Amino acid sequence: MTVQDLAEAIEVNPKTVERWITQGKVPYRRHQYATASVLKVEVTTLWEDSRMVDSATDLSKAEIVTVYPHRHMVPTGLWREIYGRATSHIDVLVYSGLWLSEDPLFHDLLKAKAQGNAQVRILLGDPDCAAVKQRGIDEGHQIMDGKIRNALMNYRPLFQSHPDIGFRLHDATLYNSLFRADDEMLVNTHVYGIGAYMAPVLHLRRLPGGGLFDTYANSIEQTWGGARQVTEHDLTGA
């Protein structure tokens, strides 16, 4: 990226950017965050000082919109609201997420977003993998594989009619279920011994330089990269 490119992206004079580079001038705080966002790095990578470390910590805290003590306390419509606002990225990373797969309005929303050229990705646990079996034991019901197969059956019409919606199965040990919609995310933590519906949920909104949102977003990317495509056999068992 040239000096001119960066200056135009963050709406400052190119001479100002040159002084940051050649004279070691420190930009105003808002320009630091804007520059870090454009370059896709942490602010402290570019300007290392104690004030920036404190500020980055504060920004990460500011990315937390609210915390719900239990998933069942999340407002019913919030899941659809954040996905409804998305225009480019819709991700669901769960083991089964059965309750979402049973929602016909959620299915309609996914269809509309995919037709609007948003990237839609649904990541479910592989029902035959060790991590899924262990999660069922940890929750005390040992039926996680069955819940995943039910979710796959619910998604079958969507899978068959909308090939532009990505479905994959993963074998990862999930520490959180993640629901991303562009720069918003709901993080449903996993707690040993209880079902996810009883565990806390964080509502996050990404801020340039914050880092917390991106940490979870990177987890989605890594899990997606290691997951396998869903097949017709997975959907039917035949």
Side-chain angles (χ1 to χ4, degrees), residues 172-187:
T173 299
L174 288 189
Y175 302 100
N176 306 276
S177 294
L178 304 176
F179 308 85
R180 180 192 180 183
D182 287 354
D183 287 341
E184 283 188 87
M185 188 184 303
L186 295 173
V187 178

Side-chain angles (χ1 to χ4, degrees), residues 10-211:
I10 63 176
E11 299 180 346
V12 300
N13 190 296
K15 295 291 186 182
T16 301
V17 177
E18 287 181 359
R19 286 194 289 271
W20 300 345
I21 298 170
T22 62
Q23 299 177 27
K25 298 291 187 181
V26 178
Y28 292 121
R29 192 67 58 87
R30 66 181 182 276
H31 292 151
Q32 292 177 358
Y33 294 141
T35 300
S37 179
V38 169
L39 298 179
K40 295 180 172 57
V41 298
E42 297 290 341
V43 176
T44 51
T45 301
L46 303 174
W47 293 282
E48 182 68 63
D49 62 52
S50 59
R51 289 175 304 164
M52 279 293 90
V53 172
D54 292 341
S55 181
T57 301
D58 291 341
L59 270 174
S60 291
K61 293 178 183 177
E63 289 187 302
I64 302 174
V65 178
T66 190
V67 178
Y68 299 96
H70 310 288
R71 192 183 74 198
H72 65 80
M73 297 178 69
V74 176
T76 305
L78 182 60
W79 310 88
R80 291 196 215 107
E81 284 179 22
I82 70 166
Y83 282 129
R85 289 193 284 267
T87 59
S88 58
H89 292 90
I90 288 180
D91 292 315
V92 176
L93 171 56
V94 292
Y95 276 134
S96 71
L98 184 58
W99 49 280
L100 267 185
S101 76
E102 294 173 334
D103 183 353
L105 294 179
F106 179 64
H107 287 224
D108 291 341
L109 190 154
L110 294 182
K111 293 176 188 176
K113 294 300 179 180
Q115 290 169 352
N117 295 320
Q119 175 184 265
V120 180
R121 302 183 298 186
I122 309 295
L123 270 162
L124 305 178
D126 187 329
D128 296 320
C129 77
V132 164
K133 180 179 180 181
Q134 187 60 51
R135 181 59 187 170
I137 294 172
D138 293 346
E139 289 191 0
H141 53 64
Q142 301 187 41
I143 58 170
M144 184 60 73
D145 59 334
K147 293 171 67 175
I148 295 171
R149 290 188 173 93
N150 283 347
L152 285 167
M153 181 180 65
N154 294 337
Y155 282 128
R156 184 182 180 189
L158 204 58
F159 175 84
Q160 294 176 329
S161 64
H162 285 74
D164 45 353
I165 297 177
F167 286 92
R168 290 190 182 183
L169 297 178
H170 67 85
D171 59 2
T173 299
L174 288 189
Y175 302 100
N176 306 276
S177 294
L178 304 176
F179 308 85
R180 180 192 180 183
D182 287 354
D183 287 341
E184 283 188 87
M185 188 184 303
L186 295 173
V187 178
N188 187 185
T189 62
H190 290 184
V191 179
Y192 181 80
I194 63 173
Y197 74 98
M198 284 294 294
V201 172
L202 286 69
H203 182 183
L204 305 181
R205 184 173 291 118
R206 185 181 185 277
L207 294 174

